[in-house]
Amino acid sequence: MRFVAFHLMPYAEPGIAEAIDQQDPKTAWVTLPNSNYDPKVGTGLYTRYLDELQYAAESGFDGVAVNEHHQNAYGTMPNPNIMAAALTQRVKTAQICILGNAIPLTQPLHIAEQVAMLDVMSGGRVVSGFVRGIGFEYSTFGVDPNESRERFHEAHDLIIRAWTEPGPFSHHGEYYHYEYVNTWPRPVQDPHPAVWIPSQGSSETVDWTAEHRYVYLQTFTKLDRVVGIMDEFRKAARSHGYEADPEQQGWAIPVYVAETDKKAREEYAPHIEMFFNSLITGPLHWFFPPGYLTPASHGRVVGAKSEVYSHSRHTLESLERDGMVVVGSPDTVAQKIKDVVDATGVGVILPFVQTASMSHENSMSNIRLLGEEVIPQLRDHQADPDKLAVSA
Amino acid sequence: MSQAVIEREEAIKTVAIGSDEIQLWDLGEGDPILFLHGFEGLWSPTPFLRALAASHRVIAPVQAGFSDSSRLNWVSSMDDVPFVHRAVIEQHLDGTPVSLVGHSLGGWMAAEFAVRFSHLLDSLVLISAFGLLHPERPRRDIFMLDETAFASICCAEQGQLAQDIAAGVYDVNNRATSAQLAWAPRLFGPRLADRLRWVDVPALVVWGERDAILDPLHAEQFAALIPTAETSVLENAGHYAHLEDPEVAALEVLRFLGTSSKEN
């Protein structure tokens, strides 16, 4: 089992939830005015969040993770590679995971170069996640959502070539044109940095990830669907001629541990509720802009997601019931994670170690308990392959 | 409101463009008008088109990717679109110069056509056309509005027409094709303002006085850039003047067509 401490680095200061509520339409994304951001507070937040990830690496996590989101209060890392670079200097042996670069939004040669730099700076410890970018980002960067998937694939192919094929070579594709691709530095990892794919579960992505033998990560999804998707992933791997390793399958989930179940729930509830009721909110048609989903998927996905991302109020109870959070004492949390591992077969667990308005003190306590009391209980745990739930 | 099958009791024709096909309505007789619809698609001929068809031959394509028609795989931006219309004129009308009438997104298409292929035009009519960025009056970003909000502002009056139009605009396929053409730069063409000087056929810019999506100041902006343009503002009409008040809109277009042509 591998454990990666995932941080979203939010701007969840007092007043933000009210500011989000006052937007018309209600949103934490794209049009929430940046006058709500206090740079002086921000300096302290970045330092604090880096301290938390460093502490996680020192407390028993195998890796730390950051991600990319633009122009919002939910996550203040428009460039995750900058944060990963800071982490290469703070985190000395653990993996540094970028989950992920939204490669359709930018020049793929930039990403190839930056991740190669990070791999060399860290001595070969980078995990290079690639994502399409969620719908909101397509309103920030004027990229046609219809082109999202094709750009993702062309960008991915160019990046892998840049890492593995001797330069200079030229690339003239549908979306990107480079006369000379010849990246300096070249990455340390052979053949290239590990690639992980965070996803919301489309069948195309599941199959593509299995085909490339990358690591597949599921985030912010109800548990019963995670079961089905991991089963689909293993079937896809078989169809491509191999048995998927449990450490190719990951689950990212908000987690909070305290001394007792009661204390954990009391301490966690306001922050996880702020996360789901404020920080993740925005109009559904901004979340899924036109052309982002295939017409066949559009109705199904928007219907499913409207429950998660709508403005109806989530509570800790409802989120726990749906398997969208894990909260409790160390033993409770360890057992819940074991149950998920047994049902889904995942071998990589990525707790979001800090959530929304959660204080530094509570975040550090969460990290300490995860590292010292939960992870040791799970280190050698393995799902029984014969007992894995299979999707209907 | 999606109609899965376009009514075929009227003259719907097919035009081959390479190995692709597009469908178009072909109504009436007389000098040809080519009509380009906007975001809402075109499911069947509208009263406006029928009014024009009383004295003209009206060609109204179901534009590729709208109203359940297939996209053309070589069209991925506004820059490609004029070539589709060129093919329609050359193949369906044997290259006879047309009066090109475009509304909203279709108005932007008409402007882009006119700056490239004015030799195929007799005249140009832009109705509440996108395509320009006004320095003082930003247009409403229809991609950020939901269907209800759009329906409340698209016409001068709320009601069934506005809801039907909004249903067409927010049809999943119409919306995705609209994004392909107009997502970024959003709802305008950065090169168009500099190119409108090349329109050398008579031009009419029609706007609804109560257009809440594109302020009527845009009409003046187009007219200032097109050397041959005159403007006409229709009272009590919103962004969809030709659907809100089809007789008045048709009369104004016919007046213009009657008094102008390249020969005059």
Side-chain angles (χ1 to χ4, degrees), chain B residues 129-212:
Chain B
F130 280 91
L132 293 179
L133 192 64
H134 196 283
E136 284 151 45
R137 297 285 167 85
R139 59 272 178 282
R140 290 303 299 267
D141 184 351
I142 63 167
F143 287 118
M144 297 308 242
L145 298 176
D146 67 14
E147 186 173 340
T148 307
F150 182 88
S152 73
I153 63 165
C154 65
C155 297
E157 305 297 331
Q158 316 228 356
Q160 190 61 46
L161 176 65
Q163 287 175 37
D164 289 346
I165 292 169
V169 171
Y170 284 78
D171 169 83
V172 168
N173 292 321
N174 286 351
R175 195 98 160 128
T177 305
S178 300
Q180 204 188 27
L181 303 178
W183 183 260
R186 186 148 296 184
L187 297 163
F188 78 102
R191 327 277 313 160
L192 186 60
D194 284 338
R195 292 176 175 174
L196 285 171
R197 77 194 71 190
W198 301 110
V199 175
D200 58 0
V201 298
L204 173 68
V205 182
V206 182
W207 228 269
E209 187 193 25
R210 294 170 60 189
D211 191 333

Side-chain angles (χ1 to χ4, degrees), chain B residues 67-86:
Chain B
S67 303
D68 287 342
S69 66
S70 308
R71 287 189 198 168
L72 304 174
N73 64 13
W74 53 272
V75 174
S76 59
S77 73
M78 279 299 267
D79 193 47
D80 300 317
V81 170
F83 297 96
V84 181
H85 304 131
R86 178 175 155 180

Side-chain angles (χ1 to χ4, degrees), chain A residues 247-276:
Chain A
E247 289 191 13
Q248 261 184 285
Q249 298 156 72
W251 180 54
I253 184 85
V255 179
Y256 188 70
V257 189
E259 282 73 31
T260 65
D261 290 351
K262 183 165 182 286
K263 187 160 179 276
R265 286 201 177 91
E266 274 168 11
E267 288 177 357
Y268 196 43
H271 311 299
I272 194 66
E273 287 172 9
M274 186 206 180
F275 180 86
F276 277 100

Side-chain angles (χ1 to χ4, degrees), chain A residues 16-17 19-33 71-73 136 278-283 286 311, chain B residues 144:
Chain A
I16 271 293
I20 292 166
D21 264 340
Q22 277 158 30
Q23 292 305 299
D24 180 26
K26 175 179 173 178
T27 181
W29 296 76
V30 186
T31 57
L32 179 67
Q71 308 200 144
N72 69 88
F136 293 119
S278 293
L279 293 184
I280 212 167
T281 61
W286 295 13
H311 308 321
Chain B
M144 297 308 242

